[in-house]
């Protein structure tokens, strides 16, 4: 039997502090927490930085380090710093070192880095060892070279290797969400289908219970399956909340691909042990070729955005044609005055209150009280984006619907109304890479930190 | 005819990775599930989402009273033309769909 304590769906999101204490009192074998995903978009991977504040991350990580010391078991985090790039591992390692100093802990820390050099990804591509997943973009050596960060998603094998160093704390770069939870049960010979399925149920903390915000969940793995129990007393896991979690952020609710195979929950049986604990058996692990998924992000331009709000009823009614006219005039001006070619930049005006969320898919046409005009300029350089933003500015402030009417003025929330967004990143890999040795694409190091 | 959102307990849309979107329709009971399952036509849903019918994946899950759709994102998450980083708006489209 292996008991895994998951404090929250992601470090930085918060959790019920008392529930964490209850979980530690239950003597877990390991504490596992996720540090990120691709969910917040490509910028974090592109820049190799965390989405959450350093202060929040440090506050929660400190509590988990203290809980770990009390429990006397390993603490493992996957996808450190939102994106799991090497720089994000270093960032969390620095925080860990600070906390160890401040709390007088002496701990052994293993860092597992997932960053991939462009050269090794290109040679894998040339060797036919990279395959596209469904809906993958086209790739080439040039695309790989353009990525500011490429990471491979580690699975249970790499986490197991990190745990095998005897580390108190494992800071892993990009991993699958489930690997950090499944690794120890798999090492200890618990049911592999149950290990991966229980890991999927637990990867978002208490999301698979009636009280998602309580965060803390405990999963007991054994030879036949697993048992889920939320640690907050008011929270309950039910066969419904647990089985429905396979739907979440998963394009196929019965199959989950992982390095070295896939999980099939088609025949899983979910049974309530009581009002708040659920037992799951019958999940199947199907071994396959050893592949790891790749993620990469590259710069796709630089942006300036401008925001104005139209309150005038007549302009609200004609906002779409007004925006089309502004776009045409600004586009023309950028070409003639800045000398950019039409294909090198874009001007977009999204009308907040009309169709800014859905664009062409929007099918409601209700007239709003006011319309936010979000001007987005995307250019090849930051300087060009800044310059283009200044060309948009006077139109957002004063552009009339017709030539023969008094000059209108629209509401600017700021001075200046335009903001430099910096680089626009895009994801450009949705592929898997074959590995003969699971560790071949990963770097494991150990460090002694703190004192005492 | 009724708006889907008025019949079901929840419609949720979310990315399933940067290249896919998934939309879950949760019904309170078997009778609602049966009405929703029969009323949601694949062709109409594909049109609503602006995706090729052949690329629409559908899962009818009676044990959960859930109908689930997954589609490749028409615009990859976070690219220049993406308006909705987490895919939140797609649930609204489906909620407001009229079904028999």
């Amino acid at each position: 039997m292996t008991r895994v304590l998951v404090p929250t769906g992601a470090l930085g999101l918060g959790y019920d502090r008392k529930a964490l204490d209850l979980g530690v009192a239950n003597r877990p074998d390991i504490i596992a927490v996720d540090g990120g995903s691709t969910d917040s978009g490509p910028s974090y991977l592109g820049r190799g930085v965390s989405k959450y504040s350093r202060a929040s991350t440090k506050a929660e990580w400190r509590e988990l380090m203290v809980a770990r010391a009390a429990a006397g078991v390993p603490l493992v985090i996957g996808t450190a710093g939102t994106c799991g790039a090497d720089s994000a591992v270093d960032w969390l390692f620095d925080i860990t070192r600070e906390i160890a100093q401040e709390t007088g802990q002496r701990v052994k820390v293993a860092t597992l880095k997932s960053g991939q050099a462009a050269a090794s990804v290109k040679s894998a591509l040339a060797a036919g060892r990279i395959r596209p997943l469904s809906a993958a973009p086209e790739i080439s050596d040039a695309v790989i070279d353009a990525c500011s960060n490429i990471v491979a998603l580690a699975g249970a094998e790499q986490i197991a290797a990190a745990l095998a160093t005897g580390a108190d704390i494992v800071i892993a770069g990009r991993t699958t969400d489930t690997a950090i939870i499944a690794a120890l049960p798999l090492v200890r010979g618990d049911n592999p289908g149950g290990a991966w399925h229980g890991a999927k149920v637990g990867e978002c903390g208490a999301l698979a219970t009636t009280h998602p915000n309580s965060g803390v969940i405990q999963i007991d793995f054994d030879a036949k399956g697993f048992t889920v129990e939320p640690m907050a007393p008011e929270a309950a896991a039910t066969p419904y909340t647990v089985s429905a979690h396979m739907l979440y952020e998963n394009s196929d609710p019965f199959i989950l691909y992982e390095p070295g195979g896939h999980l099939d929950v088609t025949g899983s049986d979910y049974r309530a042990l009581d009002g708040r604990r659920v037992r799951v058996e019958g999940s199947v692990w199907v071994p396959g070729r050893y592949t790891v998924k790749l993620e990469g992000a590259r710069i796709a331009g630089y942006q300036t955005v401008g925001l104005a709000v139209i309150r005038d009823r007549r302009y609200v009614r004609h906002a779409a044609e007004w925006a089309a006219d502004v776009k045409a005039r600004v586009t023309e001006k950028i070409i003639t005055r800045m000398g950019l070619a039409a294909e090198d930049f874009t001007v977009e005006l999204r009308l907040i209150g009309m169709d800014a969320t859905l664009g062409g898919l929007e099918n409601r046409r209700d007239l709003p009280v006011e319309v936010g005009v979000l001007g987005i300029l995307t250019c090849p350089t930051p300087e060009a984006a800044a310059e283009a933003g200044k060309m948009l500015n006077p139109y957002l402030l004063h552009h009339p619907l017709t030539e023969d009417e008094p000059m209108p003025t629209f509401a600017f929330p700021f001075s200046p109304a335009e903001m430099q967004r910096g680089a626009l990143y895009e994801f450009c890999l949705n592929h898997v890479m074959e590995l003969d040795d699971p560790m071949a694409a990963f770097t494991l190091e150990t460090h002694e930190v703190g004192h005492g | 005819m009724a708006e889907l959102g008025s019949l079901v307990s929840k419609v949720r849309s979310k990315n399933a990775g940067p290249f896919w979107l998934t939309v879950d329709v949760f019904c309170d009971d078997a009778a609602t599930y049966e009405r929703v399952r029969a009323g949601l036509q694949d062709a109409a849903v594909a049109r609503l989402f602006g995706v090729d019918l052949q690329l629409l994946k559908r899962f009818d899950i009676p044990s959960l009273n859930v109908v689930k759709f997954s589609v490749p994102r028409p615009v990859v998450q976070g690219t220049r033309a993406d308006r909705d980083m987490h895919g939140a708006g797609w649930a609204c489209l489906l909620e407001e769909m009229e079904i028999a």
Side-chain angles (χ1 to χ4, degrees):
Chain A
M1 209 278 278
T2 309
R3 174 165 287 178
V4 181
L5 181 66
V6 180
T8 176
L11 185 72
L13 264 187
Y15 48 82
D16 177 338
R17 189 69 187 75
K18 284 200 193 97
L20 178 66
D21 291 340
L22 290 171
V24 170
N26 281 353
R27 306 184 63 83
D29 295 300
I30 189 170
I31 303 172
V33 67
D34 191 16
S37 76
T38 56
D39 212 33
S40 303
S43 175
Y44 303 98
L45 177 60
R47 292 180 293 142
V49 300
S50 169
K51 171 172 100 159
Y52 294 115
S53 86
R54 193 179 196 280
S56 280
T57 302
K58 187 172 179 181
E60 292 184 18
W61 191 235
R62 179 197 302 267
E63 287 186 351
L64 296 187
M65 283 177 64
V66 169
R68 184 217 70 79
V73 298
L75 166 65
V76 53
I77 183 164
T79 313
T82 306
C83 61
D86 292 355
S87 53
V89 172
D90 291 337
W91 177 79
L92 189 60
F93 179 59
D94 273 348
I95 292 173
T96 307
R97 206 161 30 198
E98 284 174 19
I99 296 169
Q101 288 288 341
E102 290 161 12
T103 57
Q105 292 190 19
R106 180 158 186 82
V107 283
K108 182 171 178 179
V109 179
T111 53
L112 177 76
K113 288 191 173 168
S114 310
Q116 305 298 306
S120 61
V121 178
K122 284 189 288 184
S123 62
L125 181 66
R129 291 165 73 82
I130 290 183
R131 283 184 285 121
L133 296 170
S134 179
E138 287 291 321
I139 60 165
S140 63
D141 283 1
V143 169
I144 293 166
D145 279 327
C147 288
S148 51
N149 275 306
I150 299 175
V151 290
L153 278 70
E157 293 76 7
Q158 297 83 359
I159 298 297
L163 291 171
T165 64
D168 301 303
I169 296 174
V170 175
I171 301 173
R174 190 67 171 116
T175 64
T176 69
D177 294 344
T178 40
I180 50 166
I181 302 173
L184 189 61
L186 288 169
V187 166
R188 291 166 56 147
D190 295 327
N191 183 285
W196 287 110
H197 191 183
K200 172 63 186 169
V201 170
E203 56 116 349
C204 289
L207 196 60
T209 75
T210 55
H211 288 63
N213 291 334
S214 63
V216 194
I217 193 165
Q218 166 185 299
I219 308 154
D220 287 345
F221 298 90
D222 57 45
K224 287 188 146 178
F226 65 94
T227 302
V228 188
E229 180 179 355
M231 289 295 99
E234 69 278 16
T238 69
Y240 180 83
T241 63
V242 172
S243 58
H245 189 67
M246 277 300 286
L247 298 166
Y248 190 65
E249 294 179 339
N250 216 4
S251 63
D252 185 323
F254 300 108
I255 303 291
L256 187 69
Y257 285 92
E258 293 286 343
H262 70 267
L263 167 69
D264 186 341
V265 305
T266 314
S268 298
D269 177 57
Y270 303 83
R271 190 161 46 90
L273 291 183
D274 50 38
R276 52 192 308 282
R277 292 183 305 151
V278 171
R279 174 75 187 162
V280 183
E281 294 181 8
S283 314
V284 177
W285 171 252
V286 183
R289 235 167 169 179
Y290 201 87
T291 60
V292 287
K293 191 176 169 195
L294 298 175
E295 291 168 354
R298 65 174 170 182
I299 290 178
Y302 295 84
Q303 293 189 318
T304 298
V305 296
L307 183 63
V309 184
I310 297 178
R311 177 62 179 77
D312 180 293
R313 200 177 294 172
R314 178 167 154 264
Y315 277 82
V316 166
R317 207 156 43 228
H318 296 284
E321 57 189 276
W322 177 88
D325 192 34
V326 170
K327 177 182 168 166
R329 288 168 190 260
V330 173
T331 300
E332 175 66 21
K333 208 169 245 186
I334 291 172
I335 291 170
T336 55
R337 295 192 175 172
M338 289 175 59
L340 287 185
E343 61 272 20
D344 289 341
F345 71 97
T346 53
V347 178
E348 195 186 354
L349 278 82
R350 292 187 193 163
L351 300 178
I352 299 168
M354 307 205 50
D355 61 0
T357 308
L358 291 164
L361 295 177
E362 183 55 73
N363 47 35
R364 280 178 60 171
R365 293 286 172 256
D366 315 352
L367 210 57
V369 171
E370 60 187 8
V371 175
V373 182
L374 180 65
I376 306 172
L377 301 137
T378 310
C379 294
T381 65
E383 295 75 20
E387 190 73 356
K390 290 174 187 165
M391 287 186 175
L392 173 67
N393 183 306
Y395 290 95
L396 286 187
L397 185 60
H398 284 316
H399 187 61
L401 256 176
T402 59
E403 295 297 339
D404 55 353
E405 65 184 76
M407 186 179 75
T409 301
F410 306 110
F412 271 14
F414 316 114
S415 166
E418 68 273 16
M419 297 155 263
Q420 311 306 315
R421 271 209 357 94
L424 169 74
Y425 287 87
E426 62 186 19
F427 287 120
C428 44
L429 293 172
N430 189 30
H431 295 71
V432 291
M433 180 168 71
E434 282 176 28
L435 294 178
D436 295 326
D437 168 9
M439 288 309 291
F442 300 88
T443 308
L444 179 60
E445 288 176 356
T446 57
H447 323 258
E448 298 280 343
V449 305
H451 54 73
Chain B
M1 299 294 278
E3 268 198 5
L4 180 73
S6 69
L7 303 175
V8 305
S9 54
K10 186 178 181 184
V11 182
R12 171 178 78 185
S13 61
K14 198 88 203 280
N15 297 332
F19 299 87
W20 282 79
L21 270 168
T22 194
V23 188
D24 303 327
V25 182
F26 294 89
C27 305
D28 276 331
D29 53 55
T32 309
Y33 166 74
E34 191 45 45
R35 177 174 176 188
V36 166
R37 188 197 61 74
L40 280 171
Q41 304 290 321
D42 288 0
V45 173
R47 209 163 39 240
L48 187 74
F49 291 166
V51 297
D52 192 343
L53 177 58
Q54 269 69 48
L55 298 174
L56 182 84
K57 288 206 260 178
R58 174 178 181 151
F59 303 90
D60 293 337
I61 311 170
S63 61
L64 294 173
N65 293 327
V66 163
V67 178
K68 180 182 184 74
F69 295 99
S70 296
V71 295
R73 261 177 162 271
V75 174
V76 174
Q77 181 199 12
T79 47
R80 188 182 311 199
D82 185 25
R83 295 163 169 268
D84 184 359
M85 194 63 56
H86 300 82
W90 296 61
C92 310
L93 270 180
L94 204 60
E95 266 173 354
E96 293 171 8
M97 189 182 191
E98 296 274 339
I99 67 163

